[in-house]
Amino acid sequence: MLIRYNPWQEINTLQRQINRLFEDTRVPNKLLERDLIKVPAAELQETEDAIHLKLELPGIEAKDLDVKVTENAVYVSGERKSENKTEDKGYTRTEFHYGKFQRVIPLPAKIQNTDVKAEYKDGILNLSLPKTQAEKNKVVKVNLEQDAA
């Protein structure tokens, strides 16, 4: 009996073998995630007069946050403290991330860091960062005159 050679079959077999190799040697997620530093998610919006920065910090009390603002960046650090629960029976699995974090967010324009307004509510930190007068005046609209020829 004659069997026709199919090179694609060999590639499929190799792919399955590689997949099995990685399935057998995967490191459990909790071992990988343990060493990763979790930083708060940020949302930045720029207007003519200010930069508005929102940071997502659920489960952290205001007293556990440290916010510093320079002309060029915002530095946020804090700590989410774990609750010490003692249970006699049962199994607990958590995807919460506890511990210290820090994040530096560079700003797209210079700001007047002495006039920053902050609001912290429901785990969201809102910072209103007014631009310096020089930054506000950087963009100038130029009127073009047309020749009446």
Side-chain angles (χ1 to χ4, degrees):
M1 180 157 95
L2 185 62
I3 298 175
R4 185 173 284 228
Y5 176 70
N6 182 353
W8 298 113
Q9 185 61 35
E10 294 295 321
I11 292 173
N12 289 337
T13 302
L14 180 62
Q15 181 67 48
R16 281 194 306 274
Q17 290 173 345
I18 290 171
N19 287 343
R20 272 198 303 263
L21 175 70
F22 283 109
E23 286 173 4
D24 294 340
T25 60
R26 278 191 313 203
V27 178
N29 284 345
K30 62 183 174 181
L31 293 177
L32 287 174
E33 292 175 358
R34 181 180 58 193
D35 295 329
L36 295 177
I37 297 172
K38 299 295 179 184
V39 294
E43 184 176 284
L44 192 110
Q45 180 184 15
E46 185 176 0
T47 63
E48 282 185 38
D49 298 327
I51 297 170
H52 302 281
L53 177 65
K54 286 170 116 175
L55 290 163
E56 190 177 46
L57 301 159
I60 299 175
E61 295 183 34
K63 67 179 177 66
D64 294 327
L65 287 174
D66 183 26
V67 180
K68 296 176 181 162
V69 181
T70 67
E71 288 181 332
N72 303 313
V74 174
Y75 171 84
V76 180
S77 65
E79 182 177 6
R80 178 178 288 127
K81 297 178 180 172
S82 64
E83 301 172 10
N84 292 328
K85 293 182 180 179
T86 55
E87 295 182 22
D88 294 336
K89 297 179 183 178
Y91 171 77
T92 302
R93 178 177 180 220
T94 183
E95 293 180 353
F96 287 10
H97 301 283
Y98 297 103
K100 295 182 179 182
F101 67 88
Q102 64 182 17
R103 181 162 185 189
V104 177
I105 300 167
L107 299 173
K110 288 191 179 207
I111 57 128
Q112 186 63 43
N113 62 336
T114 56
D115 294 332
V116 173
K117 292 186 176 80
E119 178 190 10
Y120 186 61
K121 183 179 179 185
D122 298 330
I124 303 292
L125 174 63
N126 285 294
L127 296 175
S128 181
L129 311 157
K131 290 182 180 179
T132 62
Q133 199 62 37
E135 288 291 329
K136 289 181 191 178
N137 294 334
K138 263 190 176 178
V139 178
V140 178
K141 179 157 174 61
V142 176
N143 293 322
L144 300 175
E145 295 180 19
Q146 291 182 337
D147 290 335

